[in-house]
């Protein structure tokens, strides 16, 4: 993990996570220059490196300021941009009342260097609006917590996402932010940038096994697929839940819904590293898709109690991890289904034996 490689000023944030495999390298570049963004680049070289022209990156025309050396080693690249946070409440007429939008490209962000943990492979981007007329952020903040992984495993805290070494986790956190309504709900808007020939698809998978995330039976995945060979190139995966506590339990669950994936026909908010890497072709040469993820129960009062909201997602390369039935659930199913079968089999044997024994006591009648 490198913070602002080649730059000694901590007034801006760029975090480079580099994962080296047997014959390839995965690059994750996180930044809060403009809207919070993560750039994902996969290369076919163990020695590929990130290059940054800082003077150009921080200029009004950052195109070409970020590249991977050697350029020929790049096999795939994409970006996820966290663009806006909406706040709304429902009036008595069931109409949605929206408050002024929080544009994340207008936030002021703390230095990530203070939260960087090279042992745990974690970092935190914490910010507040540059201007806050309502005073909602006077005692609160918005954060994106980043975690990288060295091996496959499962997170301990809920929602206990299953991960691989080819993935990283991002956690969206609202802490102490005063709602502007009596039953406010929040919506996080995010956008993806893909190369030509790559399409985004939203998938929903349901399972009867909720051992690791109690009462949550749905997993959602936003996958990027190649139109040529239908192979999955990258993913963003999350459980259909958020939580209202720093130490979440089942009772802290907050309903999470995804509001349709669509092609973005609006201008992508200013993201320094997206324009620096992809150039000026974003929206024409490269396709932009957007999705809204909303948080809140039926009455929208879950956030009011603790003023804390946490939503976790996994992002990475290749196929998203798939949960399988755990040994505990398999054992329960085996007992639940096997016991009636054994009883039926034993009962049938007893009945047949009893019938044979009873008829054997009589002589045939002429």
């Amino acid at each position: 993990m490198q913070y602002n490689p080649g730059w000694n000023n901590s007034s801006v944030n760029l975090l480079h996570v580099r994962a080296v495999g047997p014959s390839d390298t995965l690059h994750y570049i996180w930044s809060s220059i403009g809207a919070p963004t993560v750039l994902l680049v996969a290369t076919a070289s163990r020695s590929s490196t990130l290059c940054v022209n800082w003077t150009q990156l921080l200029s009004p025309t950052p195109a070409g300021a970020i590249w991977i050396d050697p350029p020929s080693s790049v096999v795939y690249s994409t970006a996820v941009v966290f663009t806006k946070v909406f706040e709304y409440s429902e009036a008595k007429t069931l109409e949605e009342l929206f408050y002024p939008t929080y544009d994340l490209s207008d936030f002021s962000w703390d230095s990530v260097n203070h939260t960087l943990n090279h042992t745990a492979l974690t970092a935190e981007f914490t910010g507040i609006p540059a201007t806050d007329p309502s005073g909602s952020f006077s005692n609160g903040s918005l954060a994106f917590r980043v975690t990288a992984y060295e091996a496959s495993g499962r997170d301990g805290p809920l929602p206990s996402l299953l991960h691989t070494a080819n993935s990283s986790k991002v956690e969206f956190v609202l802490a102490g932010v005063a709602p502007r309504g009596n039953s406010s709900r929040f919506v996080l808007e995010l956008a993806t940038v893909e190369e030509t020939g790559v399409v985004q698809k939203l998938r929903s998978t349901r399972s009867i096994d909720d051992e690791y995330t109690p009462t949550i039976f749905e997993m959602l995945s936003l996958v990027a697929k190649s139109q040529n060979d239908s192979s999955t190139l990258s993913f963003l995966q999350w459980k259909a839940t958020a939580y209202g506590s720093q130490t979440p339990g089942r009772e802290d669950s907050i309903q999470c819904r995804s509001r349709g994936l669509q092609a973005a026909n609006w201008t992508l908010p200013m993201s320094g590293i997206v324009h620096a890497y992809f150039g000026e072709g974003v929206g024409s040469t490269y396709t932009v898709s957007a999705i809204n993820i909303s948080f809140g129960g039926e009455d929208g009062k879950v956030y009011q109690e603790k003023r804390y909201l946490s939503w976790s997602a996994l992002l990475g390369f290749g196929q998203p991890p798939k949960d399988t039935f755990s040994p505990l659930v398999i054992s329960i199913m085996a007992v639940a289904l096997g016991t009636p079968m054994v009883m039926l089999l034993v009962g049938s044997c007893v009945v047949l034996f009893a019938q044979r024994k009873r008829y054997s006591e009589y002589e045939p009648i002429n």
Side-chain angles (χ1 to χ4, degrees):
M1 300 179 77
Q2 297 174 294
Y3 176 69
N4 287 354
W7 187 255
N8 294 325
N9 194 326
S10 61
S11 61
V12 294
N13 292 315
L14 190 147
L15 177 66
H16 177 216
V17 181
R18 184 170 178 262
V20 182
S23 60
D24 57 1
T25 304
L26 305 179
H27 298 269
Y28 296 86
I29 301 101
W30 301 84
S31 176
S32 60
I33 302 174
T37 303
V38 55
L39 175 65
L40 293 81
V41 184
T43 69
S45 169
R46 298 187 76 249
S47 58
S48 62
T49 58
L50 173 69
C51 301
V52 182
N53 183 330
W54 283 96
T55 303
Q56 187 175 354
L57 176 61
L58 300 178
S59 72
T61 56
I66 293 179
W67 70 97
I68 299 294
D69 188 37
S72 58
S73 66
V74 176
V75 294
Y76 172 69
S77 56
T78 183
V80 178
V81 186
F82 300 96
T83 54
K84 298 175 183 177
V85 172
F86 301 100
E87 182 183 350
Y88 73 96
S89 60
E90 286 189 356
K92 294 182 179 180
T93 57
L94 298 181
E95 293 181 355
E96 294 177 347
L97 172 63
F98 279 84
Y99 300 97
T101 303
Y102 294 120
D103 190 334
L104 300 185
S105 63
D106 293 332
F107 270 48
S108 174
W109 301 91
D110 294 342
S111 173
V112 172
N113 200 32
H114 301 315
T115 63
L116 189 58
N117 188 323
H118 289 275
T119 303
L121 300 178
T122 59
E124 183 171 330
F125 294 79
T126 304
I128 60 174
T131 58
D132 185 22
S134 64
S136 296
F137 279 79
S138 58
N139 295 311
S141 64
L142 179 151
F144 291 95
R145 295 173 181 167
V146 177
T147 304
Y149 299 109
E150 292 182 309
S152 299
R154 185 183 296 277
D155 272 354
L158 293 174
S160 303
L161 293 173
L162 181 67
H163 61 78
T164 68
N166 293 343
S167 59
S168 294
K169 184 181 78 170
V170 58
E171 184 181 1
F172 167 68
V173 178
L174 275 179
V177 178
R180 291 172 286 184
N182 294 328
S183 57
S184 285
R185 309 177 196 186
F186 294 93
V187 179
L188 174 64
E189 179 187 78
L190 60 90
T192 62
V193 181
E194 293 290 350
E195 301 170 338
T196 303
V198 179
V199 294
Q200 288 278 355
K201 293 184 179 294
L202 181 63
R203 295 176 176 173
S204 173
T205 305
R206 293 183 178 273
S207 171
I208 62 172
D209 186 358
D210 70 336
E211 177 186 359
Y212 298 108
T213 313
T215 72
I216 307 301
F217 302 94
E218 184 180 15
M219 174 79 81
L220 294 110
S221 300
L222 189 61
V223 296
K225 298 181 70 68
S226 172
Q227 290 180 321
N228 297 331
D229 54 9
S230 298
S231 60
T232 301
L233 302 173
S234 65
F235 65 87
L236 181 73
Q237 184 183 62
W238 65 95
K239 287 274 193 176
T241 184
Y243 291 95
S245 172
Q246 297 185 36
T247 55
R250 184 176 66 177
E251 65 279 4
D252 301 310
S253 178
I254 297 176
Q255 189 177 40
C256 172
R257 293 177 178 173
S258 300
R259 301 190 175 187
L261 176 68
Q262 60 182 1
N265 55 4
W266 36 261
T267 303
L268 186 69
M270 181 59 183
S271 171
I273 65 171
V274 166
H275 291 284
Y277 183 82
F278 291 103
E280 301 300 331
V282 177
S284 57
T285 306
Y286 301 94
T287 58
V288 180
S289 302
I291 187 171
N292 288 343
I293 300 171
S294 64
F295 314 100
E298 293 301 324
D299 56 4
K301 294 182 180 179
V302 179
Y303 180 80
Q304 299 278 352
E305 298 177 0
K306 298 183 179 180
R307 292 195 177 181
Y308 189 89
L309 169 68
S310 169
W311 172 77
S312 299
L314 199 70
L315 53 88
F317 299 89
Q319 290 280 358
K322 290 184 179 180
D323 262 322
T324 56
F325 287 115
S326 66
L328 175 62
V329 173
I330 292 175
S331 301
I332 293 174
M333 292 176 64
V335 171
L337 298 176
T339 301
M341 293 298 296
V342 171
M343 294 178 63
L344 180 61
L345 182 62
V346 171
S348 300
C349 292
V350 170
V351 171
L352 289 175
F353 179 77
Q355 288 179 339
R356 289 185 60 187
K357 183 177 180 181
R358 182 177 59 188
Y359 286 119
S360 64
E361 295 175 354
Y362 295 91
E363 294 293 333
I365 299 174
N366 287 332

